[in-house]
Every structure is written in C-alpha cells, then in structure tokens.
Amino acid sequence: MIVVADTSAFNYLVQMGRAEILHTLYGRVVIPHAVHDELLALGAPRAVSAWATDLPHWVDVVSAMRIDFTLSELLGAGEREAISLAIEISANLVLMDDQPGRIAAEERGLIVSGTLFVLLQASRRRLLDFESAIAELKSLGFRMSEAIEATMRKRSNQGNLS
C-alpha cells in the first residue's frame, strides 16, 4: 500500500505521541518535501519539528516531479505537492484533513482519508481508545463538525469502517 500524507495527520499524531500508528496501519508513509518543510517550519509545534528533524525509517521524503498547477492557489504548498505526488506514484491513499485539499484530491480520483479515520482504524485494532483520542485531538485545536464527530463516534461504537 502506498500512502501519501499531508502535514496535518503528522502534526496531530506527533503531538499526541501516536505517530507510530501510521507505521502500524500502513507500513511506509510518503511525504513530499513541502510537507517535510512545513513540519520543520518555525511556527510548527516544538514536538513536531523535533520529530521531523530525525524522521523514523518508515517515513520517506519524496519530491513530486511535477506540481499540478491546476490546483487552487488556496491550497498550501504541502497539499499541492501531496496531491501531485500521490497522482505520480499512484498512491492508494492520501491522508489530508483540510476540506479544500480533500475535495481537490477526490476530484483527481484519489482516495482520501484523514486523522479522524486513522484514529478510528487504530481504535478498531485496539491500539487506542477512540473517545480519549478524540478528546485529545480536540484539545490540540482539531476542528470537526458535530455531524462528522457523531458519525465517527457511531462508527467507533458499531465497528463500521465503511
């Protein structure tokens, strides 16, 4: 499985001390250079930039050969390069939380998931408690609609990943 990740999943999972979940669920994860730069940026949380300074063996940093310039200027550099790279390497999954990026990726035929779904998958494999993880995620400033939160809680309780 080829998984390309944007900044947000790593940002939240590193702060939660749960980045290793990505390795457990997916094996290797590919990030574009723009995402790596965002993880190292001056404004990044200290834990995130420290983690990104010495990436684990299961994270590969790869440059997209061509950036899709039809992507909206409203997307960040990491999102644009993640989508472009995912198309180039025929990724099975793109991890991205921001709605405009998710829409742009889906419009290009990519399968998109986000941090919430990663936590849901991890809870189904008994790697964490979903309710505690959601509370911690929200305490870090993660925003989600009440409808999405209710749907994810329902799926967590029912074991429905579809």
Side-chain angles (χ1 to χ4, degrees):
M1 173 176 264
I2 301 171
V3 177
V4 174
D6 182 27
T7 307
S8 59
F10 279 114
N11 181 56
Y12 290 111
L13 293 172
V14 167
Q15 289 183 80
M16 294 172 70
R18 304 266 191 189
E20 195 68 29
I21 286 173
L22 293 172
H23 177 55
T24 303
L25 294 174
Y26 307 119
R28 300 191 79 69
V29 178
V30 179
I31 61 171
H33 278 281
V35 167
H36 190 231
D37 291 345
E38 289 174 359
L39 294 170
L40 292 168
L42 199 53
R46 187 181 318 254
V48 173
S49 59
W51 180 86
T53 299
D54 186 24
L55 291 171
H57 68 89
W58 51 269
V59 178
D60 293 325
V61 181
V62 178
S63 289
M65 299 297 276
R66 293 183 206 162
I67 302 298
D68 180 348
F69 289 106
T70 66
L71 290 165
S72 171
E73 294 280 329
L74 298 176
L75 301 182
E79 291 168 319
R80 286 194 304 271
E81 191 175 0
I83 292 168
S84 298
L85 180 61
I87 292 167
E88 267 180 36
I89 65 175
S90 301
N92 303 92
L93 181 65
V94 177
L95 296 177
M96 188 173 291
D97 289 319
D98 291 337
Q99 191 68 11
R102 293 172 65 92
I103 291 168
E106 289 170 351
E107 287 173 346
R108 285 156 180 79
L110 297 170
I111 297 171
V112 184
S113 190
T115 304
L116 283 173
F117 193 74
V118 169
L119 295 175
L120 181 59
Q121 286 181 308
S123 76
R124 299 306 308 146
R125 292 186 56 186
R126 303 201 189 321
L127 300 173
L128 55 76
D129 175 70
F130 189 72
E131 292 298 322
S132 298
I134 290 293
E136 187 174 2
L137 190 62
K138 288 169 73 173
S139 77
L140 293 170
F142 187 91
R143 294 183 313 264
M144 68 188 108
S145 70
E146 289 180 15
I148 297 261
E149 184 174 352
T151 297
M152 296 305 275
R153 287 180 192 279
K154 183 177 178 184
R155 286 182 179 179
S156 172
N157 292 332
Q158 293 176 346
N160 177 8
L161 291 179
S162 58

